[in-house]
């Protein structure tokens, strides 16, 4: 007989925090990156004329973003903002504190297929802003799924505890 325990999400245990997904923002998180995006989107023959100008600037911004920027992590308990290269957490919001998630695209982000995610609390206030996420709707969906799974897990644990007390 096996001693393995069945888990709802492979590798995730109810009592511990486990990283589910990490995403780096694109250069569309930066004002200059959004400006480059606006320029590239407005050039009719962007691949011919824009490449010599846009590529070096984009590469420089990409490097700057990795060194000085942030990264965003979803765990089975929270959403976190971390310094890009350092190991310092900047901000954390519990999944249970996220009431709604809005996707907002700033001018210049559409070229990079990026948007900002606004994590709203129950009062409708922005609890955390994740800027310049490529394909932000996918990250939004993953946060929503993690939040819903976390809530169901907590409900199940509460039911088990109540049964054990009886």
């Amino acid at each position: 007989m096996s001693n393995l325990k069945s888990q709802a999400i492979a590798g995730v245990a109810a009592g511990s925090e486990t990283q589910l997904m990490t995403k780096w923002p694109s250069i569309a998180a930066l004002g200059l990156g959004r400006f480059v995006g606006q320029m590239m989107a407005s050039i009719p023959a962007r691949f011919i004329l824009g490449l010599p100008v846009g590529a070096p600037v984009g590469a420089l911004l990409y490097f700057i973003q990795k060194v000085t920027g942030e990264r965003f992590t979803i765990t089975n308990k929270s959403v976190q903002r971390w310094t890009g290269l350092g190991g310092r957490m900047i901000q954390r919001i519990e999944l249970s504190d996220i009431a709604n998630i809005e996707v907002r695209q700033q001018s210049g982000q559409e070229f990079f297929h990026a948007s900002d995610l606004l994590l709203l609390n129950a009062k409708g206030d922005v609890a955390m802003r994740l800027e310049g996420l490529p394909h932000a709707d996918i990250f939004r969906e993953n946060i929503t799924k993690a939040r819903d799974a976390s809530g169901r897990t907590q409900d199940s644990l509460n039911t088990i505890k109540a049964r054990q007390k009886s």
Side-chain angles (χ1 to χ4, degrees):
M1 182 178 248
S2 174
N3 289 335
L4 296 176
K5 294 181 182 178
S6 171
Q7 297 174 320
I9 301 173
V12 177
S16 63
E17 187 160 20
T18 304
Q19 180 177 319
L20 302 176
M21 180 181 200
T22 295
K23 189 103 172 166
W24 289 79
S26 75
I27 65 171
L30 305 170
L32 188 54
R34 289 189 299 275
F35 177 72
V36 168
Q38 289 171 341
M39 283 185 12
M40 295 299 288
S42 68
I43 297 172
R46 65 179 140 219
F47 295 111
I48 297 169
L49 300 175
L51 192 59
V53 175
V57 173
L60 176 63
L61 290 176
Y62 178 82
F63 176 74
I64 290 170
Q65 177 71 6
K66 293 300 180 211
V67 173
T68 64
E70 301 173 346
R71 57 187 159 92
F72 311 117
T73 298
I74 305 169
T75 73
N76 60 323
K77 295 182 182 284
S78 66
V79 177
Q80 305 167 355
R81 288 177 50 208
W82 290 80
T83 55
L85 292 180
R88 188 174 62 85
M89 188 186 313
I90 300 167
Q91 187 180 9
R92 172 191 174 102
I93 180 170
E94 299 297 320
L95 292 172
S96 59
D97 294 336
I98 301 170
N100 197 13
I101 305 170
E102 292 183 9
V103 178
R104 293 208 185 139
Q105 192 170 60
Q106 296 185 54
S107 178
Q109 288 182 331
E110 58 275 347
F111 178 79
F112 300 105
H113 304 285
S115 300
D116 298 344
L117 281 186
L118 306 177
L119 308 183
L120 307 176
N121 61 22
K123 295 178 184 176
D125 299 326
V126 176
M128 184 183 290
R129 182 182 193 110
L130 310 176
E131 294 182 302
L133 280 170
H135 307 286
D137 39 340
I138 295 170
F139 204 70
R140 176 188 182 275
E141 183 179 333
N142 281 293
I143 292 171
T144 302
K145 286 179 179 180
R147 179 193 62 195
D148 294 348
S150 175
R152 286 190 302 270
T153 300
Q154 191 57 51
D155 291 345
S156 296
L157 290 173
N158 291 341
T159 300
I160 291 167
K161 285 179 187 175
R163 286 180 186 162
Q164 289 174 344
K165 289 180 181 178
S166 339

